[in-house]
Amino acid sequence: MVRQVPLSPSAAWFRLELEESDWREEEAQDLIHWYGQMLLIRRFEEKLLDLEKAGLIHGPAHASIGQEAGAVGAMSVLGAGDKINGTHRAHHQVLMKLINTEVPHDFDIRRDAFTPGMDDAVYRFMAEIMGLAPGYCGGRGGSMHMRFADAGVVGTSAIVGGNPPHAVGYALADKMLERDQISVAFFGDGATQNGASYESMNIAAAQSLPVIFFIENNLYGVATRISDVTRETRLSSRGAMLGITSIECDGMDVVAVHRAMAEARRRIREQGGPVVVEALCYRHFHQSGSRSGSDFGYRTTEEEAAWRERDPVALARERLMALGHLSADECTRIDQMVTERVAAAAARLTEPVPGGNALRIPDALWPDAGNPDRGILGDLSELAGRRTLDHDRLNGLPLEKVKFVTAASETIAAAMDRDPTIIVMGEDVHQMRGGVSGFTKGALERWPGRVLPMPIAENGFTGVALGAALNGLRPIVEIMFGDFCFTAADQIAHGVGKVRHMFGDGFPVPLVMRVRVSPHTGYGSQHSSDPSALFGLFPGWRIITPSTAFDYIGLMNSALACNDPVAVIEHTELYQREFEVPQGDRDYCIPFGSARIVRPGTACTVLATSVMVQNAVRAAHETGVDAEIIDLRNIDHHGLDWELIGASIDKTGRVVIAEQTARSLSMGATWAAEIQDRFFDSLDHEIVRVAGGLAAPTVSAVLNRAALAGVGDVKSALLRIAENQ
């Protein structure tokens, strides 16, 4: 007879419940301190809502009023070196992390005044939310994007589900660099339904990382109740199903959250991480602003009133008074003090409008609008002094012939030997004696513990890599096929592509993404694209396209020493080709921003990338057109070698742009526009673009070839230009 055998999670999954006695067991000073912190959050956010109503906050103000116990209880177990991030609703968590870094060990909120450092934290955080220069990010982040790494705030994200992978990356770096620290990702019920949250939990579990996933289950994603979008509303189940210890607690009770977080930290210390903590809580107001959800019809006034009866600040005050820890007068004094400190910060950021009662922001506090693009990337000063080589500066060095794939593997291994912070992440990178392409062969032979297998979750592990890069590692991320970049587009665009500029610059983002491009192999439309244009949309990326093993060595070494994110576009057609490289030398760099003249000529300038470089050389030979062919090598906005390109155009007066990929994905239109802006007076002919068809290649061999640009297309372009001379 068939039997049904009940199954249960492999990890512990439980609800932590408290009794009145648990409050009595906590130190009175701790309870009073936590109460003061919750009250500070409350008064801070109430002031923000006043400023918003007055038109002094540009953008949304996602208040966390009602959720203070979660932030304070969580921070009560974190040290200065522990890291956090949050979502668009992170005022409460960020303020506590900033303040706690400045609070003296013996601070007593009943009698002690705020220190200058505590006042400065309130002031600078308020300034950031208002978009002002004194803010931690210079006003660029505002309410939803906050970073101050000195206090362990490594970067919040306004993308729902965008921040959990980053916290996993922080934890990965801490584990690999042997730091005794933990990271906490704060997110809500909406983000728990997001794929990146699941992916990051799974990666954290697979790698046993010291990270806590703190779910603030306030029941609503904007106006959608959680039961409308998921059948299993016990969100801690997401951790349990992945083998992660998962704890549910009362998020309106600061002691309950403290105990849950203390238990999570204990388990990480004794058993390894990660841990999920689900705090059941409620936001008193709508998604943004000071109106109630019932005003918009998605919540009832009765429901709101019932939750307000469990307001965490009021609950703490009542219990502290009942325990005899605080008198009514002391409660009033604490309230007056935090209210005054918040008001003092606001007063420093505003001034009266002459002749009226309204307030305005002093002109001196606004960021300089003269250079809104400052800080997108670094200045490459970290590459100064590196040993460089190029094809025309070998000076008699002995050469050897090496396959592209061999040179790549040896280069990555040599770089990992020099720099212990370099790791490799990707699908199958730890198998098949070097992954699917063989590029990790050398690394696996020497440092298998630094070659990390990832699940088929490109968005998740790209976000993890970003977090690791922000916390001391230099990850190399392998994307198996170029098309898969589009599944990671959220982290490529909103994460890596914007992180430095969004948070005000001044910190490195050393991440290398290796992207395998295989348009010629018959894998069809979903495995054949060149995603260079995706990276090109976001100027926070540098993009390189090595066309020889020599260039791969030099450009990859520059990428691995660079403090900016670098996308390395690798064409698999090159992998098994042999190229001449300096004998035994895998350590030199090729400077970014230096294109190369592969074939000098006078009839026209051909700007080519990747395999189209040699295709253009062959086309010039077969047509007899005296074309000057330039291998661009760097194809991002910042790296194009306009000096070399301009000198060539001045000489030839004609330009062909040669790319293999589908025309809709090509970058040539952008380059053509820039050429016309820069060199219009030197042009004697319209710019001719060579690219593939509109559609991606399909499986049929003839259709595959027809969809891509090749030698014949370059020949046609050269003959067209030659006929019009």
Side-chain angles (χ1 to χ4, degrees):
M1 177 182 291
V2 174
R3 293 187 301 136
Q4 294 183 352
V5 180
L7 299 176
S8 59
S10 59
W13 180 28
F14 56 90
R15 175 178 172 81
L16 187 151
E17 294 185 347
L18 268 63
E19 299 176 349
E20 291 291 334
S21 60
D22 292 297
W23 274 70
R24 290 194 294 270
E25 291 173 2
E26 296 293 338
E27 292 289 335
Q29 178 57 35
D30 289 338
L31 292 172
I32 294 167
H33 186 68
W34 299 340
Y35 168 68
Q37 289 188 316
M38 288 193 291
L39 198 55
L40 174 62
I41 294 170
R42 179 69 57 89
R43 299 298 179 244
F44 181 85
E45 292 208 293
E46 288 171 344
K47 177 58 73 173
L48 291 182
L49 294 179
D50 289 341
L51 293 169
E52 183 196 39
K53 289 178 183 177
L56 298 175
I57 292 181
H58 183 64
H62 298 97
S64 58
I65 292 173
Q67 300 181 200
E68 296 89 351
V72 173
M75 297 304 155
S76 69
V77 305
L78 300 185
D82 297 320
K83 269 74 64 178
I84 71 163
N85 65 28
T87 66
H88 57 281
R89 192 183 314 284
H91 298 158
H92 49 331
Q93 296 131 4
V94 171
L95 179 60
M96 282 303 95
K97 198 68 168 72
L98 296 171
I99 283 283
N100 283 352
T101 305
E102 301 294 338
V103 174
H105 176 70
D106 58 350
F107 180 79
D108 189 333
I109 198 166
R110 291 170 295 183
R111 64 169 190 266
D112 296 335
F114 273 33
T115 67
M118 294 167 68
D119 275 335
D120 194 55
V122 176
Y123 165 71
R124 291 188 66 191
F125 188 33
M126 187 177 290
E128 185 59 43
I129 293 169
M130 296 172 72
L132 304 180
Y136 285 100
C137 304
R140 293 190 184 187
S143 174
M144 299 188 292
H145 318 102
M146 244 307 292
R147 173 184 165 87
F148 187 59
D150 290 354
V153 183
V154 193
T156 63
S157 174
I159 300 299
V160 173
N163 65 298
H166 305 162
V168 175
Y170 313 155
L172 175 63
D174 284 338
K175 180 179 179 180
M176 299 203 74
L177 297 174
E178 298 182 345
R179 304 175 183 136
D180 184 20
Q181 297 168 352
I182 68 168
S183 298
V184 185
F186 292 94
F187 54 102
D189 46 283
T192 309
Q193 319 309 318
N194 183 279
S197 299
Y198 167 87
E199 292 176 8
S200 59
M201 286 184 188
N202 185 53
I203 293 169
Q207 297 292 330
S208 300
L209 299 180
V211 59
I212 297 173
F213 298 98
F214 192 101
I215 304 170
E216 292 181 292
N217 185 356
N218 63 23
L219 304 182
Y220 290 90
V222 187
T224 299
R225 191 172 178 88
I226 186 171
S227 57
D228 293 339
V229 293
T230 183
R231 180 178 291 183
E232 177 52 88
T233 58
R234 298 172 299 173
L235 300 184
S236 51
S237 65
R238 278 39 169 191
M241 68 181 283
L242 292 169
I244 301 172
T245 296
S246 299
I247 307 169
E248 181 187 285
C249 68
D250 182 356
M252 307 299 271
D253 184 328
V254 68
V255 174
V257 178
H258 166 75
R259 293 285 183 90
M261 286 291 288
E263 175 65 12
R265 182 141 208 175
R266 182 190 69 80
R267 286 178 179 260
I268 288 175
R269 181 177 61 254
E270 297 178 3
Q271 305 168 12
V275 175
V276 167
V277 173
E278 178 189 3
L280 304 177
C281 56
Y282 200 78
R283 54 173 162 85
H284 289 341
F285 295 118
H286 177 55
Q287 166 78 353
S288 179
S290 57
R291 295 177 64 186
S292 298
S294 57
D295 289 348
F296 298 89
Y298 64 87
R299 302 197 303 207
T300 67
T301 56
E302 292 78 11
E303 176 185 296
E304 290 172 342
W307 278 96
R308 283 185 181 273
E309 287 293 317
R310 302 195 62 250
D311 181 89
V313 178
L315 173 67
R317 181 174 61 249
E318 292 168 3
R319 287 185 172 173
L320 286 171
M321 292 177 67
L323 289 169
H325 295 331
L326 282 179
S327 66
D329 287 344
E330 287 176 318
C331 288
T332 300
R333 284 199 298 272
I334 292 171
D335 197 346
Q336 287 175 341
M337 183 173 69
V338 298
T339 301
E340 288 170 0
R341 301 331 302 153
V342 170
R348 294 173 63 188
L349 297 167
T350 58
E351 65 183 11
V353 175
N357 296 322
L359 295 175
R360 69 182 183 186
I361 295 170
D363 289 342
L365 296 181
W366 290 109
D368 179 11
N371 188 5
D373 292 337
R374 179 184 58 80
I376 293 174
L377 288 175
D379 60 5
L380 297 179
S381 58
E382 66 273 19
L383 300 184
R386 299 272 175 174
R387 184 172 64 88
T388 63
L389 280 180
D390 214 332
H391 297 263
D392 59 350
R393 291 190 287 109
L394 292 175
N395 299 322
L397 284 175
L399 302 177
E400 61 179 329
K401 280 196 171 184
V402 176
K403 286 184 177 180
F404 191 104
V405 64
T406 302
S409 172
E410 293 172 352
T411 299
I412 292 170
M416 293 177 73
D417 190 33
R418 295 191 303 270
D419 186 346
T421 67
I422 296 175
I423 63 170
V424 179
M425 304 167 58
E427 298 158 8
D428 293 315
V429 293
H430 67 311
Q431 298 288 12
M432 298 184 290
R433 291 175 292 182
V436 294
S437 60
F439 277 49
T440 59
K441 181 177 183 293
L444 283 170
E445 290 171 350
R446 302 189 203 179
W447 305 279
R450 289 161 60 190
V451 181
L452 307 181
M454 290 289 117
I456 302 175
E458 287 84 2
N459 197 49
F461 66 71
T462 298
V464 171
L466 172 56
L470 293 172
N471 196 29
L473 292 181
R474 288 183 174 270
I476 302 173
V477 180
E478 178 175 312
I479 301 294
M480 190 180 293
F481 286 91
D483 306 68
F484 300 172
C485 287
F486 294 95
T487 69
D490 174 37
Q491 293 294 340
I492 288 172
H494 299 130
V496 185
K498 297 178 180 177
V499 62
R500 173 178 272 164
H501 182 262
M502 179 172 69
F503 290 135
D505 196 17
F507 56 94
V509 191
L511 184 154
V512 172
M513 178 170 279
R514 291 185 43 241
V515 181
R516 298 172 68 252
V517 175
S518 307
H520 60 296
T521 56
Y523 268 69
S525 297
Q526 296 176 332
H527 289 70
S528 302
S529 296
D530 180 341
S532 299
L534 171 65
F535 294 95
L537 290 172
F538 302 96
W541 282 94
R542 298 188 186 275
I543 314 168
I544 58 177
T545 58
S547 63
T548 69
F550 185 103
D551 288 352
Y552 191 95
I553 296 169
L555 292 171
M556 177 56 85
N557 280 324
S558 291
L560 289 172
C562 183
N563 285 335
D564 300 321
V566 183
V568 184
I569 310 299
E570 303 172 0
H571 203 299
T572 61
E573 187 178 321
L574 301 171
Y575 281 7
Q576 297 304 316
R577 292 185 188 175
E578 287 191 336
F579 298 88
E580 287 190 333
V581 301
Q583 187 174 359
D585 187 352
R586 304 295 182 263
D587 297 337
Y588 62 88
C589 292
I590 293 176
F592 284 165
S594 59
R596 174 195 169 212
I597 296 176
V598 177
R599 180 191 188 279
T602 59
C604 65
T605 298
V606 179
L607 306 179
T609 64
S610 190
V611 295
M612 293 301 283
V613 174
Q614 289 305 311
N615 285 344
V617 170
R618 179 180 164 189
H621 174 74
E622 292 180 2
T623 60
V625 175
D626 187 26
E628 179 151 287
I629 298 168
I630 296 177
D631 182 350
L632 292 175
R633 299 201 291 203
N634 296 84
I635 61 173
D636 57 89
H637 173 82
H638 312 273
L640 287 166
D641 188 349
W642 290 117
E643 183 178 354
L644 182 68
I645 293 168
S648 180
I649 294 173
D650 285 342
K651 177 173 59 175
T652 67
R654 294 160 187 262
V655 179
V656 174
I657 298 174
E659 301 170 273
Q660 184 187 48
T661 192
R663 193 173 184 85
S664 56
L665 283 175
S666 71
M667 301 177 72
T670 300
W671 300 337
E674 189 78 11
I675 289 167
Q676 291 195 133
D677 286 345
R678 290 172 177 265
F679 311 117
F680 183 79
D681 290 342
S682 298
L683 292 173
D684 298 326
H685 192 283
E686 72 269 22
I687 298 169
V688 178
R689 287 177 55 205
V690 174
L694 290 178
T698 50
V699 172
S700 170
V702 293
L703 294 177
N704 192 162
R705 288 190 293 270
L708 300 171
V711 175
D713 300 285
V714 183
K715 288 169 65 175
S716 297
L718 294 179
L719 292 173
R720 174 183 166 188
I721 276 189
E723 289 171 0
N724 292 323
Q725 282 186 329

